[in-house]
Amino acid sequence: MCVLLSFLLDCVQVSRPGWWLVTLWLYLAPCGNNSSTETATATSNTTSIDWFGMAVVVLPLNIMVYGINDASDRRNDLDNDRKGNFLFGPKGWSRNRLTRVLVPGMLVGTFLPLFYWGWTSHCLLPYMIWFLVAVLVNYWYNFQASAPWTTLGLVWIGYASVTLLSYWRHSGNHGEFGIRLDDDTNNSHKWYMAGCNQDYWMHLSLLLVRSQLWTELLDYDSDRRMNKWTTLSRLPTKAMARQVVLAVLVTEAIWSVRQYQQEGSDWSTLLAFSCMGVILFGTLEFVLPPTTKQQQAAPAVDLVWLAMMQNAGGIYLLHDCWRRGIFVK
């Protein structure tokens, strides 16, 4: 019993509960509260949300994604104060301990459900290709990618594939990308992919670039000490890295303002969160940046609380965007 409990706790830690919300956001995107979407979601009283699929992408799929990352960064993480907790993943684990979690997560938790879905839908090939692409993207990102555009591109492909999988599960259009062009209420054109409109894909791009670069900034010092060259650790100073992240955050806020002006109050919550992101980042990195070595080590604890607060706010934002259906209209 103790062995099983220890294994389950290891699975949860590798899956990064601090990032579960991102996966939920990607998975629920095609299920927005809009009965006119071709995804035929729970709110249109035709089909229900695939809760089993949600469980698969939150736990086993994240085990595969972050487990491969932990295997590649096992030595680097020893010098990373952010790691070693349930929000940001393990630290100092042996390769055997990681393998005991990674292999079942990949083969049992991820591959078998995909195989079952493909088999029962008589569309096995797309699901098998999806799994192969997921493995290759994560391997390339962690072991082969070097150029910044390659890293960010792989991150986009990896996360966007979760939305595509959700579209397959909820629309029944297995193996399709669901690309179409529609006229909206303002007599303008909007294109859709995987049941989500162009606004979602723009927001997704900004969200992933911002999240990836902000995470790289948190690891900037340890990455440079370990000669791990990410998009930001290639920059000569941390000040330049901060400016890059701030520029992305400001771009996201400006885009949210534009969407609010064009689409109306449905975008008010997302606009507020985008502006708060700029204020929060500016406060932490420019107004109250850590200066001494002791202060630089302390954020490892503070980041846990910050991540918990961000997730609490993100849950409300997820509910609000899903209820309004702004990404499927």
Side-chain angles (χ1 to χ4, degrees):
M1 189 66 180
C2 292
V3 175
L4 177 60
L5 179 60
S6 177
F7 170 74
L8 292 176
L9 290 175
D10 283 354
C11 288
V12 172
Q13 186 166 2
V14 172
S15 70
R16 304 284 202 282
W19 295 102
W20 282 0
L21 185 63
V22 176
T23 311
L24 286 174
W25 181 280
L26 300 168
Y27 184 82
L28 290 175
C31 307
N33 187 7
N34 189 333
S35 60
S36 66
T37 64
E38 62 178 328
T39 51
T41 65
T43 52
S44 62
N45 298 318
T46 51
T47 60
S48 61
I49 292 176
D50 183 2
W51 298 104
F52 176 64
M54 181 186 297
V56 168
V57 300
V58 166
L59 191 61
L61 181 61
N62 276 344
I63 289 175
M64 184 182 78
V65 171
Y66 296 118
I68 295 175
N69 178 258
D70 290 334
S72 68
D73 285 349
R74 194 168 60 90
R75 293 183 179 179
N76 293 346
D77 288 343
L78 293 173
D79 192 44
N80 191 334
D81 294 325
R82 186 169 61 87
K83 296 296 183 71
N85 52 67
F86 275 86
L87 287 180
F88 298 115
K91 176 179 179 179
W93 285 16
S94 67
R95 191 173 298 276
N96 287 338
R97 188 178 179 183
L98 281 172
T99 302
R100 284 197 298 267
V101 175
L102 178 57
V103 173
M106 286 182 61
L107 299 182
V108 179
T110 306
F111 176 80
L112 286 184
L114 288 167
F115 184 88
Y116 171 76
W117 291 333
W119 183 267
T120 55
S121 65
H122 306 289
C123 202
L124 182 60
L125 183 60
Y127 283 93
M128 294 298 94
I129 292 176
W130 190 98
F131 178 76
L132 179 62
V133 169
V135 173
L136 291 177
V137 163
N138 281 280
Y139 177 81
W140 193 5
Y141 170 83
N142 287 287
F143 294 99
Q144 299 294 329
S146 56
W149 66 267
T150 304
T151 301
L152 295 176
L154 290 171
V155 169
W156 192 93
I157 293 172
Y159 281 109
S161 65
V162 177
T163 300
L164 180 62
L165 178 63
S166 175
Y167 172 70
W168 291 353
R169 299 303 305 145
H170 293 101
S171 70
N173 298 324
H174 308 285
E176 298 182 10
F177 287 93
I179 299 175
R180 71 184 197 276
L181 183 66
D182 285 351
D183 293 330
D184 68 9
T185 55
N186 296 320
N187 295 321
S188 60
H189 296 290
K190 276 191 176 183
W191 62 266
Y192 293 76
M193 184 171 71
C196 298
N197 59 33
Q198 61 192 35
D199 301 330
Y200 168 75
W201 293 106
M202 182 62 184
H203 170 73
L204 174 67
S205 301
L206 291 170
L207 170 68
L208 294 183
V209 172
R210 179 250 292 169
S211 300
Q212 175 71 16
L213 295 183
W214 198 335
T215 304
E216 290 183 8
L217 179 64
L218 295 174
D219 298 340
Y220 179 87
D221 295 321
S222 62
D223 284 346
R224 286 187 66 87
R225 284 195 298 268
M226 300 300 293
N227 292 323
K228 179 184 176 182
W229 303 113
T230 63
T231 303
L232 291 189
S233 66
R234 296 172 181 274
L235 299 177
T237 65
K238 195 170 185 178
M240 293 180 64
R242 289 193 186 104
Q243 292 169 8
V244 170
V245 178
L246 180 61
V248 175
L249 284 164
V250 171
T251 301
E252 182 181 21
I254 293 173
W255 178 76
S256 298
V257 170
R258 175 181 173 275
Q259 290 299 116
Y260 177 78
Q261 292 173 338
Q262 291 185 346
E263 305 289 344
S265 60
D266 282 350
W267 283 79
S268 57
T269 305
L270 190 59
L271 170 61
F273 271 78
S274 298
C275 294
M276 286 177 60
V278 176
I279 296 172
L280 178 62
F281 180 81
T283 302
L284 292 176
E285 296 294 337
F286 292 95
V287 179
L288 301 172
T291 53
T292 66
K293 291 184 178 180
Q294 291 77 10
Q295 289 175 323
Q296 290 172 350
V301 177
D302 298 339
L303 285 174
V304 173
W305 288 102
L306 178 61
M308 292 173 66
M309 290 187 292
Q310 284 182 322
N311 274 271
I315 291 173
Y316 173 77
L317 179 62
L318 171 62
H319 174 265
D320 184 79
C321 292
W322 187 90
R323 179 177 59 84
R324 297 174 187 269
I326 63 175
F327 292 133
V328 294
K329 287 183 178 180

